């Protein structure tokens, strides 16, 4: 008889029965993940037959989606989570049962609400608080500093030193690097290390904006500039960033017309709102970023040369993740703690084979792909340690080690083409799903397909 069974059977009015009367169902498991007790309400919620005995069965056999085994293995509680039981969404709480010395001898789960209408006031309050937070931070969305770039590899330490020096100069910066290397994080770090740190940081992804909205979003609109425009006009991102920093991500994706207007902002420090004939002085520091070769686009006539040279005053090249593989253990640990905090899941650790796979994989999606794979593993792992299989190692053929190539451009081209082809095949050539799998935007995916002649 297990310790938990002893506790249940030797109590006249045991604690589990008392607690189950306060909720819509409860279940308890022992150290081997076998059911030792479940309430009648839980049996009814699961629609389990009364004439069948489930005590002693593995909990996963009757509830495949349960997180109780993870609570048992990690010893960490999950205070509030949503779970679907028989096509009904329930709010559940899961707790480890511990001895005085901290060892875990079981776990228990409670279904507190089988009707989520009871939680509506909580959801509404959360939505109001989130909306208020977004409103308050509209002009100040910078939350990262240079120290948030995790790692101590020579390549990362070099870029941090360059960024710190650049932050002290009030001039335009161009961040270069593959997608997912952390260009926006670096931009925020530069802003917070600069004399403009007390002023707004406003970021905008140029690739994510429809062409028809780019001008209004960037430069603002005059009153009645077009049908549906505000009667009082609207400030653009440039005006909102006055006194601070404007971050323009994926700068290569803007049209020729927008390039011309942006050049005026950089050269003359003036902005003209859409539908207005009045120039307005602005004091703003611009940080632009791109994962494309701007010089190559200039040579092809796809990007203005004068704007390129205005942006390329202080170029900073972010290293790809494969160039700083020694940072992966510390970076993975940081990301997993962040994922656990945001998801409410107990924190897990990497097995040795998983860590080895992470350090040898070529990472075409860089840190963003690393985050996505770790998040997947934290959800799918069934053991206390994450395996390489949990990370999706079996999904992709990583190909030969990158050190068999002598030319870096060949390495990059091979890795990108291979990962892109595998993602498209896995998603049956659904480009939206493939972009999501790689952790990149659809615009970036199309640019890669064109650049790699696929």
């Amino acid at each position: 008889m297990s310790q938990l069974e002893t506790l249940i059977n030797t109590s006249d009015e045991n604690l589990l029965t008392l607690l189950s009367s306060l909720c819509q169902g409860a279940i308890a498991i022992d150290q081997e993940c076998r059911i030792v007790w479940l309430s009648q309400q839980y049996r009814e919620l699961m629609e389990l037959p009364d004439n069948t005995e489930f005590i002693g069965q593995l909990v996963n056999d009757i509830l495949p989606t349960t997180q109780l085994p993870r609570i048992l293995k990690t010893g960490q509680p999950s205070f509030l989570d949503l779970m679907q039981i028989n096509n009904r969404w329930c709010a559940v709480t899961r707790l480890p049962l511990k001895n005085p010395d901290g060892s875990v001898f079981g776990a228990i789960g409670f279904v507190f609400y089988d009707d989520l209408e009871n939680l509506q006031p909580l959801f509404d309050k959360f939505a109001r608080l989130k909306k208020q937070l977004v409103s308050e931070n509209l002009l100040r969305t910078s939350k990262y500093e240079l120290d948030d770039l995790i790692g101590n590899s020579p390549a990362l330490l070099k870029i941090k030193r360059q960024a710190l020096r650049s932050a002290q100069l009030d001039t335009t910066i161009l961040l270069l690097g593959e997608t997912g290397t952390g260009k926006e994080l670096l931009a925020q770090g530069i802003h917070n290390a600069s004399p403009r740190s007390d002023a707004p940081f406003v970021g905008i992804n140029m690739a994510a904006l429809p062409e028809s909205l780019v001008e209004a979003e960037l430069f603002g609109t005059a009153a009645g500039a077009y049908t549906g425009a505000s009667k009082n006009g609207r400030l653009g991102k440039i005006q909102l960033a006055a006194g601070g920093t404007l971050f323009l991500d994926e700068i290569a994706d803007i049209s020729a017309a927008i390039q011309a207007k942006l050049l005026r902002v950089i050269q003359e420090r003036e902005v003209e709102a859409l539908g207005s004939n009045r120039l307005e002085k602005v004091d703003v520091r611009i940080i632009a970023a791109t994962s494309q070769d701007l010089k190559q686009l200039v040579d092809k006539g796809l990007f203005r040369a004068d704007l390129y040279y205005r942006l390329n005053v202080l170029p900073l090249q972010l290293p790809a993740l494969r160039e700083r593989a020694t940072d992966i253990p510390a970076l993975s640990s940081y990301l997993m703690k962040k994922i656990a905090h945001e998801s409410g899941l107990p924190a897990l650790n990497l097995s040795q084979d998983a860590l080895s796979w992470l350090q040898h994989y070529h990472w075409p999606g860089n840190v963003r792909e690393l985050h996505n794979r770790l998040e997947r593993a934290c959800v799918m792992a069934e053991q206390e340690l994450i395996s390489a299989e949990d990370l999706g190692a079996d999904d992709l053929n990583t190909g030969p080690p990158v050190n068999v190539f002598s030319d870096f451009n060949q390495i990059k081209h091979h890795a990108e083409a291979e990962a892109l082809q595998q993602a498209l095949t896995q998603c049956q050539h659904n480009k939206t799903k493939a972009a999501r799998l790689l952790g990149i935007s659809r615009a970036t995916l199309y640019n890669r397909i064109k650049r790699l002649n696929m």
Side-chain angles (χ1 to χ4, degrees):
M1 182 178 292
S2 71
Q3 185 176 351
L4 182 53
E5 289 175 306
T6 302
L7 175 66
I8 294 172
N9 295 330
T10 57
S11 178
D12 295 333
E13 184 68 23
N14 66 71
L15 180 60
L16 299 181
T17 303
L18 176 62
L19 289 175
S20 69
S21 67
L22 304 176
C23 62
Q24 275 70 49
I27 184 172
I29 63 173
D30 62 13
Q31 300 99 314
E32 297 179 351
C33 296
R34 296 188 181 276
I35 300 171
V36 295
W37 177 84
L38 72 163
S39 68
Q40 182 61 32
Q41 301 101 308
Y42 198 91
R43 183 185 286 268
E44 294 171 358
L45 183 65
M46 288 290 300
E47 299 179 0
L48 301 174
D50 290 332
N51 59 355
T52 303
E53 183 58 65
F54 293 95
I55 303 301
Q57 290 194 31
L58 291 172
V59 67
N60 291 99
D61 290 343
I62 68 165
L63 193 60
T65 59
T66 182
Q67 294 289 329
L68 279 177
R70 177 174 292 187
I71 302 299
L72 185 69
K73 294 179 184 301
T74 64
Q76 299 297 316
S78 174
F79 291 111
L80 181 62
D81 192 13
L82 294 179
M83 180 179 180
Q84 197 170 30
I85 302 177
N86 281 339
N87 298 317
R88 298 173 65 183
W89 283 102
C90 304
V92 299
T93 292
R94 310 179 186 98
L95 302 173
L97 300 174
K98 297 184 178 182
N99 292 306
D101 63 359
S103 60
V104 180
F105 64 87
I108 186 168
F110 299 100
V111 179
F112 281 105
Y113 299 100
D114 57 11
D115 181 0
L116 293 188
E117 289 298 323
N118 295 320
L119 289 177
Q120 193 60 47
L122 176 63
F123 295 152
D124 290 343
K125 184 175 182 179
F126 175 78
R128 288 194 301 270
L129 290 173
K130 185 175 181 180
K131 184 177 181 180
Q132 179 183 354
L133 182 64
V134 171
S135 176
E136 290 175 350
N137 287 283
L138 177 63
L139 301 182
R140 183 65 187 277
T141 57
S142 173
K143 59 182 179 179
Y144 295 111
E145 299 186 1
L146 292 177
D147 287 341
D148 290 312
L149 288 165
I150 306 299
N152 291 296
S153 64
L156 187 67
L157 293 178
K158 178 181 178 180
I159 195 66
K160 290 171 74 171
R161 290 194 303 269
Q162 292 175 338
L164 186 59
R165 289 196 296 268
S166 301
Q168 310 312 310
L169 303 176
D170 199 18
T171 190
T172 304
I173 295 176
L174 180 61
L175 305 183
L176 306 169
E178 298 176 15
T179 182
T181 49
K183 294 186 285 294
E184 181 168 4
L185 190 154
L186 182 61
Q188 293 188 19
I190 291 173
H191 170 79
N192 281 325
S194 75
R196 294 176 176 264
S197 58
D198 291 330
F201 174 94
V202 178
I204 182 170
N205 188 327
M206 306 306 297
L209 283 177
E211 181 65 29
S212 58
L213 295 180
V214 172
E215 188 171 3
E217 283 292 320
L218 264 183
F219 307 105
T221 61
Y226 54 87
T227 302
S230 170
K231 294 181 179 180
N232 298 319
R234 177 188 174 195
L235 294 177
K237 292 295 191 292
I238 294 175
Q239 294 96 321
L240 291 174
T245 302
L246 176 68
F247 175 58
L248 302 175
D249 199 7
E250 299 297 347
I251 189 69
D253 291 325
I254 62 176
S255 66
I258 301 301
Q259 290 178 33
K261 293 196 69 172
L262 183 59
L263 178 63
R264 184 184 190 93
V265 173
I266 298 175
Q267 287 185 158
E268 309 296 337
R269 300 296 173 180
E270 294 176 340
V271 61
E272 182 179 351
L274 179 63
S276 172
N277 56 7
R278 184 173 64 88
L279 293 174
E280 177 185 350
K281 286 288 185 180
V282 289
D283 172 27
V284 64
R285 196 255 191 94
I286 292 178
I287 300 178
T290 182
S291 57
Q292 300 186 50
D293 188 335
L294 279 187
K295 186 62 172 65
Q296 189 177 82
L297 294 179
V298 170
D299 294 340
K300 293 180 179 180
L302 300 176
F303 199 86
R304 291 181 63 116
D306 47 2
L307 178 58
Y308 167 70
Y309 290 114
R310 282 289 182 179
L311 293 172
N312 199 40
V313 178
L314 286 176
L316 298 180
Q317 179 76 45
L318 280 83
L321 185 56
R322 60 182 169 274
E323 297 172 28
R324 54 186 192 101
T326 55
D327 291 335
I328 289 179
L331 184 56
S332 298
S333 177
Y334 169 82
L335 291 174
M336 288 172 64
K337 290 178 182 177
K338 180 181 177 183
I339 292 168
H341 175 74
E342 293 176 348
S343 66
L345 294 172
L348 300 178
N349 294 312
L350 292 167
S351 64
Q352 193 56 48
D353 72 307
L355 187 57
S356 176
W357 184 85
L358 289 175
Q359 291 184 290
H360 289 88
Y361 180 55
H362 54 265
W363 297 114
N366 292 288
V367 179
R368 185 181 294 118
E369 184 185 0
L370 173 62
H371 179 279
N372 291 347
R373 289 188 174 275
L374 289 173
E375 186 172 24
R376 162 186 171 163
C378 287
V379 173
M380 302 303 294
E382 297 182 350
Q383 303 297 326
E384 187 174 359
L385 292 178
I386 289 175
S387 67
E389 182 182 358
D390 296 326
L391 293 163
D394 294 341
D395 298 345
L396 297 174
N397 175 19
T398 58
V402 295
N403 59 10
V404 303
F405 296 99
S406 59
D407 181 71
F408 175 74
N409 289 329
Q410 186 182 7
I411 298 173
K412 180 179 176 181
H413 187 279
H414 174 82
E416 285 187 325
E418 181 183 28
L420 186 55
Q421 184 58 55
Q422 289 169 343
L424 289 169
T425 301
Q426 185 174 339
C427 297
Q428 298 180 334
H429 290 270
N430 183 309
K431 293 182 175 58
T432 299
K433 291 182 179 179
R436 189 180 301 118
L437 178 65
L438 292 171
I440 60 178
S441 67
R442 282 190 62 189
T444 300
L445 179 71
Y446 280 110
N447 287 334
R448 282 191 181 183
I449 292 174
K450 181 178 180 181
R451 176 163 51 85
L452 296 172
N453 296 318
M454 296 181 65

